[in-house]
Amino acid sequence: MGRPKKAVAPGAVAEDLARFLQELSARSGRTYDAMARVCGVSAATLCRADSGERRPAWEVVRAYVEACGGGAADLRKAERLWRGTPSQVSRSGVRWVEPDAVCEVHQLGELMRAARALSGRPSLRSVEERASALGLVLSRSTLGDAMRPEAVPTETVFCVFMRVIADFAGSPAASYGPEVWEVVWRRVQPGRRPRGRAGTAGGSSRKASAVRGSSAAALVTSAGSSRGGRGGRRPRARAWVRPGPVQEFKDGLYQLYLGAGVPSLDDIAAGVLLDEALAAAPGRDRVNRMLWSAELGLQQDAVAVAGILAAMAGLDPAAAAENVRELWVKAAAVRLYGCAVGEADPLALGVRETFVLPSGGRTLPALVPYVRRQHDQAIEAVVGRAVAGRSGMVIARGPQAAGKTRSCWEALRGLPAGWRLWHPTNPFDGTQIVQGLANAGPRTVVWLDRVERYLDPVQYRDAGTVQAELRNALHDARRAPVLVIGTVSAAAGVLTRSGGLTPAADTVVRTLIEDAVVDVSPKFTKAELMRLADLADLDDRLAIARDHARSAVPKFLATSRKAHPILAPKSFHTAVEQGDTDTLFMGGTLLRQSGRLEEAATWYQRAAEAGDSQAIEPAAALLTENGEPQGAISWLQSLAEAGDPDAAVAAARRLLATGRDAEAIRTYQHAALAGDSNRALRAAAALMRRSGRTQEAVRWLRTCAERGNPVALQEAAHLLWEMGDRTRALKFYTDAGSAGELAAWRDAAERLQSLGRGDEAVIMYRAAVRHGDRQSGLPLADLLVEQGRLQEALEIYLQEAEKQKDPEEQSPDLAVLRRVANLYRFTEQPDKALAWLYEAADRGDVAAFMQIGLILRDKCDQGESCVDEAVEAFTRAAAAGEWHAYRESVWLLRKYRGLKAAVEWLHRRIEGKDRRAVREMADLLREAGMVEEALTWYLRAAEQGSEYATKYALRLQAQLLSGKDAEVPPEGSGSAATGATEATEVL
């Protein structure tokens, strides 16, 4: 058995791919050496492939899967994950670009700076020394000049540097051979740059000057003749547009654009400007958005552009403009997709309401404060990748009442402004699901509660169509990012049927779900129970759960059925007389099962009127089935007017389905004003905005705010911001925050930050922190770092980090400690960075030892005496699975203690059954010029399965047989002969 593989770090560049590869490796039970013998790829390359630090080559991934015995399905999944892996980004913000993507001269220097940053920022002196050890010449002064942003490195400097930097820990250049860098430099060297940039700019400028001196008619003529001379311009790729009237409008404009011969934006804008008969004169940018973005734009702009394009194409401008006007009107009447995530109602999405306490206590919200759980990090990771631009799906799987839906909802609350959410109004209508997936575009969430209802061929006949639309939504790059989030029961047949009797379609959907599933336990862990105890003072129901639920907290909170002794009646008849909601609900269920639907509806109604929100929907459904749809709506409206937000949601849903939007708005408003319900308030405001009554919604929300509800001010600010009235919106945000709604400060800051107004966002974040908002501290510090205000950011980071150092902290956030250390490191304060990294290591962050070693290595290069401490740190890192630590330790010992010390260190590792040290010993002796001794160790490593060692052994054998001179040992302290003699004695 080999050493256990180090777990993939959360947030790693290739996290998903690495985790999948490690799962394949664990399933096969093969070591890296065994896999290397099968696939012909070295064990070191396979180890790098599943580390997650960067995206490996596709040939390596394919060889890895085949070596693990993976089938075609595994290979397809690996390819999908590989294609979705982004480029690696360093902690300092420097982006690594793959060599085959380098096509400009300035990218050569960027590649050098990125390689250095990702290799631990070694000093130029250490790079010079390692180049000398390899027999290469690279002075640090020349390298310093080449590292300047405006400099273009020579071929020698570029190729030598990339070859040397590949030998440092964590270097992304280690995956490529020296010949790659020669090819890259020659491809983009001066004199062979791609044509078109400078000439295009000049051509556009000359064309614009000519256009300004001509008439509109002459412009049309000249545009047509120039197109004929050029042979036509290739049209750009179009943005994805949601199917329907908007797409028809965009297609109509695009056909005119093609008919006009693909004119430039300058030609179109100038033609519009010179035609005095047009009602609008959109500029180049607005024309660009009209043609290439998914935005609808203004009607007069569309008509103007259509007229000019028709004239260029030789068509009737008036007829074309009228056709586009009609298409625009139809497109403008289309309702927006879903609703804003912040406006969604969690109970309408399937989140279970917490049980109701007896009257006499304080009024409590429908949901208790959320207690973070183990699985939340996995769900939030998928959401975070969606925010970063990658489509994805996450399915929470678990038994009934395990907290699956609540966990998904809490993960969505971190989405930035601008994201929209869609969920089916009728969860049993598969056609609606297909349409919703087909219409999912960028920055949208598709909410699918209990996905087995749509994906299981047994439960839904057209499940294959849903599967196809789901894959299209997730894999269409033009629509990214799309986030599909939902739940599935642990006992769902679509996941459990097996034993050779499973239809092929079930196998497909099982694979689809398993790729995205996150298991949710029905019971709390000890750490989660401690967090529950910390929050118990905020809500009486949490206190009851703490005392009586044991570990089954989600199920306890999700139902009032005997949740607490004070709620349990002594007998069934007493319970009915007292109006016990659980008993009434149970009676309705029994009557429904026996076919007595009218009586069942009455019992459900009684339970709902007594406060059981879960009885509302079955009562309304039975009334509708009994032929009383209007009676169901009237009953729901009466409950809503009495202040029941759940009844308002159910009534409004039915009113909207029948096109009675105005009545739905009034229903929400009654519930909001009568019961002071923020759910109904948000729903009313959102529906008014979708109906084109935004200003009326703002006035109504201000009235609600005057009655003492600061949430109304925040909702009004949201509406004003969406309208583009940012000044009034910021005023409303400020008023809401001052009135006690702390989230309003944070919302305003995030919106300002998204517009690039960072200074104003800092003011809002500071106001939130000053008023007691605990969630705004770290976003404020991150924003300050982006602005270069490092000292201010450091003060905030330190405050958060001190909290993590508290020994009573049960689950410290080590990322905060690393932020402090990295900030000190990149501001040239290595001693302070070391202190925080040691603190992180003491708290269990084993990855910190590698960073500690790198800092101490730089100190050694600067003349400080800390070799032993650096070697100790690298040794700890090596024990934790950081394979680069071997080379760093050997290099330090050889440089400062001599060859004998390095050999002794490797011997201790070999005696501890460390197979990696065998290959490192062979490399060390080869570099020292001891070819025959190196050959012995390479043969030993080859016997252990190292393909790398086998290649070097064959090379050295050929070298010795041919009689060529051995490699000359590098210069160092003392003579090479003395070092070799000492090493021989140790061996």
Side-chain angles (χ1 to χ4, degrees):
M1 293 294 291
R3 181 178 67 254
K5 175 69 179 178
K6 186 177 73 173
V8 180
V13 173
E15 178 184 359
D16 291 345
L17 176 61
R19 292 186 188 280
F20 175 65
L21 293 179
Q22 288 191 9
E23 290 173 3
L24 286 179
S25 176
R27 188 175 68 190
S28 69
R30 296 176 179 174
T31 64
Y32 291 124
D33 292 333
M35 292 162 57
R37 287 194 295 269
V38 172
C39 66
V41 177
S42 69
T45 302
L46 296 174
C47 181
R48 285 195 299 270
D50 66 7
S51 66
E53 296 176 358
R54 55 185 171 273
R55 185 175 73 168
W58 166 242
E59 292 74 13
V60 174
V61 176
R62 180 167 55 191
Y64 194 115
V65 175
E66 292 173 352
C68 292
D74 295 324
L75 197 60
R76 286 195 299 272
K77 180 178 179 181
E79 183 177 5
R80 175 170 58 81
L81 294 175
W82 180 82
R83 293 186 182 281
T85 301
S87 298
Q88 184 167 355
V89 179
S90 73
R91 294 178 181 176
S92 59
V94 181
R95 181 174 294 276
W96 170 259
V97 179
E98 298 299 331
D100 57 359
V102 176
C103 57
E104 298 287 348
V105 173
H106 67 85
Q107 289 181 297
L108 296 174
E110 292 177 359
L111 199 67
M112 294 173 64
R113 291 189 291 275
R116 184 187 178 199
L118 292 167
S119 303
R121 292 190 178 274
S123 65
L124 299 183
R125 181 185 297 276
S126 62
V127 175
E128 180 184 28
E129 292 175 349
R130 293 210 182 184
S132 177
L134 294 173
L136 305 171
V137 178
L138 183 64
S139 69
R140 59 181 180 275
S141 59
T142 302
L143 183 57
D145 292 338
M147 281 290 184
R148 296 201 309 271
E150 67 277 7
V152 176
T154 65
E155 180 178 7
T156 301
V157 171
F158 175 74
C159 294
V160 171
F161 172 80
M162 297 305 293
R163 180 179 175 184
V164 173
I165 202 68
D167 201 37
F168 283 82
S171 176
S175 302
Y176 306 95
E179 66 281 355
V180 171
W181 311 120
E182 297 176 7
V183 174
V184 170
W185 192 91
R186 291 172 183 170
R187 185 173 67 238
V188 299
Q189 65 177 326
R192 296 183 63 183
R193 296 171 59 184
R195 299 179 180 178
R197 294 208 171 210
T200 302
S204 298
S205 177
R206 289 191 296 272
K207 185 185 296 181
S209 300
V211 166
R212 285 193 292 270
S214 63
S215 65
L219 171 67
V220 173
T221 305
S222 64
S225 61
S226 65
R227 283 190 303 276
R230 288 195 306 268
R233 180 186 289 104
R234 178 175 294 179
R236 292 162 48 189
R238 300 171 64 192
W240 180 85
V241 181
R242 187 164 286 112
V246 179
Q247 189 180 68
E248 294 173 5
F249 163 71
K250 290 289 184 179
D251 288 345
L253 271 181
Y254 187 69
Q255 292 302 320
L256 289 174
Y257 174 74
L258 294 179
V262 196
S264 69
L265 298 176
D266 291 325
D267 288 343
I268 301 172
V272 172
L273 182 63
L274 294 174
D275 192 338
E276 299 180 354
L278 297 176
R284 186 180 188 279
D285 291 340
R286 286 161 69 179
V287 173
N288 181 51
R289 292 195 297 271
M290 183 72 66
L291 289 173
W292 304 116
S293 75
E295 297 179 15
L296 190 60
L298 301 176
Q299 184 187 60
Q300 55 266 34
D301 290 348
V303 172
V305 171
I308 290 299
L309 291 176
M312 290 181 174
L315 304 175
D316 182 2
E322 183 60 30
N323 181 49
V324 167
R325 180 184 289 108
E326 294 177 358
L327 292 174
W328 188 95
V329 171
K330 293 179 181 178
V334 176
R335 289 188 175 185
L336 293 176
Y337 181 83
C339 64
V341 173
E343 298 170 355
D345 179 8
L347 298 186
L349 297 177
V351 179
R352 293 172 178 266
E353 185 177 9
T354 311
F355 63 81
V356 181
L357 287 176
S359 60
R362 56 177 173 169
T363 302
L364 296 172
L367 301 177
V368 295
Y370 186 67
V371 181
R372 281 190 60 80
R373 305 183 61 191
Q374 281 184 337
H375 57 266
D376 286 330
Q377 185 176 0
I379 298 176
E380 290 168 359
V382 179
V383 176
R385 288 194 289 272
V387 173
R390 295 172 56 191
S391 296
M393 179 170 73
V394 59
I395 303 296
R397 177 174 64 185
Q400 186 179 16
K404 306 183 296 294
T405 314
R406 179 70 188 275
S407 296
C408 293
W409 167 248
E410 292 295 329
L412 291 186
R413 298 179 69 177
L415 287 173
W419 279 74
R420 302 192 66 79
L421 181 144
W422 179 89
H423 70 99
T425 55
N426 182 357
F428 301 98
D429 186 358
T431 304
Q432 194 179 112
I433 307 298
V434 172
Q435 293 176 349
L437 288 168
N439 283 276
R443 294 163 64 85
T444 59
V445 178
V446 180
W447 181 279
L448 300 179
D449 193 27
R450 295 180 60 189
V451 296
E452 65 269 22
R453 292 184 296 196
Y454 324 118
L455 297 179
D456 187 356
V458 174
Q459 298 190 44
Y460 180 53
R461 180 179 56 186
D462 296 328
T465 305
V466 178
Q467 297 168 25
E469 287 294 344
L470 184 58
R471 283 191 289 270
N472 290 339
L474 293 174
H475 297 157
D476 188 345
R478 297 185 307 153
R479 298 161 66 177
V482 173
L483 174 62
V484 179
I485 192 165
T487 64
V488 65
S489 171
V494 70
L495 295 178
T496 57
R497 284 191 297 274
S498 58
L501 303 177
T502 304
D506 291 354
T507 304
V508 173
V509 70
R510 183 182 297 109
T511 303
L512 182 67
I513 293 180
E514 286 290 353
D515 286 350
V517 76
V518 173
D519 286 310
V520 178
S521 172
K523 296 184 178 181
F524 271 31
T525 64
K526 291 183 179 179
E528 291 166 357
L529 289 173
M530 295 181 71
R531 295 190 202 111
L532 170 67
D534 292 339
L535 297 174
D537 293 338
L538 301 178
D539 194 298
D540 295 340
R541 294 165 294 184
L542 284 180
I544 296 175
R546 175 196 60 194
D547 298 334
H548 299 276
R550 297 185 180 179
S551 62
V553 175
K555 185 173 183 180
F556 184 90
L557 291 173
T559 175
S560 60
R561 296 166 181 79
K562 297 182 180 180
H564 189 265
I566 65 173
L567 301 176
K570 295 181 179 180
S571 67
F572 183 84
H573 294 289
T574 304
V576 173
E577 293 174 359
Q578 293 177 353
D580 178 67
T581 57
D582 297 328
T583 306
L584 293 171
F585 190 97
M586 181 177 62
T589 302
L590 293 173
L591 289 167
R592 187 177 188 176
Q593 292 174 349
S594 61
R596 298 160 63 179
L597 301 185
E598 293 185 4
E599 296 174 78
T602 301
W603 281 65
Y604 279 132
Q605 284 181 282
R606 290 179 60 188
E609 291 165 0
D612 189 351
S613 61
Q614 296 189 37
I616 292 176
E617 189 59 40
L622 284 176
L623 287 172
T624 303
E625 291 178 18
N626 293 336
E628 303 180 34
Q630 183 55 44
I633 292 176
S634 300
W635 174 70
L636 291 169
Q637 285 178 321
S638 65
L639 290 180
E641 292 173 3
D644 191 329
D646 301 293
V649 171
R653 187 184 300 129
R654 285 165 170 77
L655 290 168
L656 290 172
T658 57
R660 297 156 66 180
D661 292 13
E663 291 182 69
I665 292 173
R666 287 197 297 273
T667 301
Y668 277 132
Q669 288 179 332
H670 280 302
L673 295 175
D676 194 23
S677 168
N678 291 331
R679 276 185 62 217
L681 181 142
R682 292 189 177 99
L687 186 52
M688 292 171 75
R689 181 174 62 80
R690 291 199 297 270
S691 302
R693 298 162 57 181
T694 306
Q695 291 293 351
E696 180 185 347
V698 172
R699 290 193 296 270
W700 177 71
L701 287 169
R702 178 168 282 283
T703 300
C704 295
E706 291 172 354
R707 299 181 56 175
N709 188 353
V711 175
L713 290 173
Q714 185 180 10
E715 293 302 315
H718 291 337
L719 295 183
L720 290 170
W721 191 278
E722 294 295 333
M723 290 171 56
D725 192 350
R726 272 76 188 265
T727 303
R728 288 181 65 199
L730 290 175
K731 177 64 168 58
F732 273 66
Y733 277 128
T734 303
D735 292 344
S738 301
E741 188 63 24
L742 300 182
W745 298 107
R746 192 167 61 254
D747 287 348
E750 291 173 354
R751 290 179 182 272
L752 288 167
Q753 189 174 354
S754 67
L755 294 179
R757 296 161 64 175
D759 293 337
E760 297 173 76
V762 168
I763 294 174
M764 291 294 180
Y765 275 132
R766 289 195 185 279
V769 173
R770 187 170 58 253
H771 284 78
D773 184 15
R774 298 182 179 179
Q775 301 181 38
S776 294
L778 287 178
L780 171 59
D782 293 340
L783 178 56
L784 291 171
V785 170
E786 291 179 12
Q787 295 180 340
R789 299 159 67 175
L790 302 183
Q791 187 58 41
E792 298 176 64
L794 183 59
E795 293 176 1
I796 299 174
Y797 282 145
L798 287 173
Q799 293 173 4
E800 295 295 327
E802 288 295 338
K803 300 176 184 176
Q804 307 305 318
K805 293 171 65 175
D806 186 353
E808 296 182 0
E809 182 75 20
Q810 298 298 323
S811 54
D813 185 0
L814 299 180
V816 177
L817 305 183
R818 289 194 295 270
R819 282 181 181 177
V820 176
N822 288 335
L823 195 55
Y824 275 129
R825 183 179 178 190
F826 292 122
T827 54
E828 306 299 335
Q829 301 181 69
D831 292 331
K832 294 183 178 179
L834 277 174
W836 284 98
L837 285 171
Y838 274 122
E839 179 68 29
D842 291 341
R843 301 284 286 180
D845 186 3
V846 294
F849 285 112
M850 191 66 192
Q851 301 301 319
I852 292 171
L854 294 174
I855 295 176
L856 292 174
R857 179 202 66 188
D858 293 341
K859 284 178 168 289
C860 293
D861 292 340
Q862 295 168 8
E864 297 189 28
S865 179
C866 53
V867 177
D868 294 335
E869 293 86 344
V871 172
E872 174 63 22
F874 283 132
T875 302
R876 299 282 296 275
E882 190 67 54
W883 56 272
H884 271 299
Y886 292 93
R887 179 58 56 91
E888 295 293 341
S889 298
V890 171
W891 179 265
L892 273 176
L893 288 169
R894 181 185 179 189
K895 180 178 180 181
Y896 294 104
R897 296 284 190 268
L899 182 61
K900 179 179 178 181
V903 170
E904 290 176 345
W905 184 85
L906 285 172
H907 258 300
R908 289 194 294 272
R909 304 295 303 174
I910 294 171
E911 290 171 358
K913 306 301 181 182
D914 192 335
R915 298 170 63 184
R916 170 77 188 188
V918 176
R919 205 192 82 178
E920 292 296 336
M921 178 73 81
D923 285 342
L924 175 63
L925 296 173
R926 175 179 57 83
E927 293 172 1
M930 304 170 64
V931 180
E932 294 184 0
E933 293 83 350
L935 176 58
T936 301
W937 287 95
Y938 276 128
L939 291 173
R940 181 173 172 181
E943 291 174 357
Q944 295 176 350
S946 173
E947 184 176 347
Y948 168 90
T950 302
K951 292 179 180 178
Y952 256 108
L954 294 173
R955 187 180 304 174
L956 291 181
Q957 284 177 337
Q959 179 180 330
L960 292 172
L961 290 174
S962 65
K964 292 184 178 180
D965 294 335
E967 296 183 22
V968 179
E971 298 179 1
S973 58
S975 67
T978 303
T981 302
E982 295 176 349
T984 303
E985 294 175 356
V986 174
L987 292 171

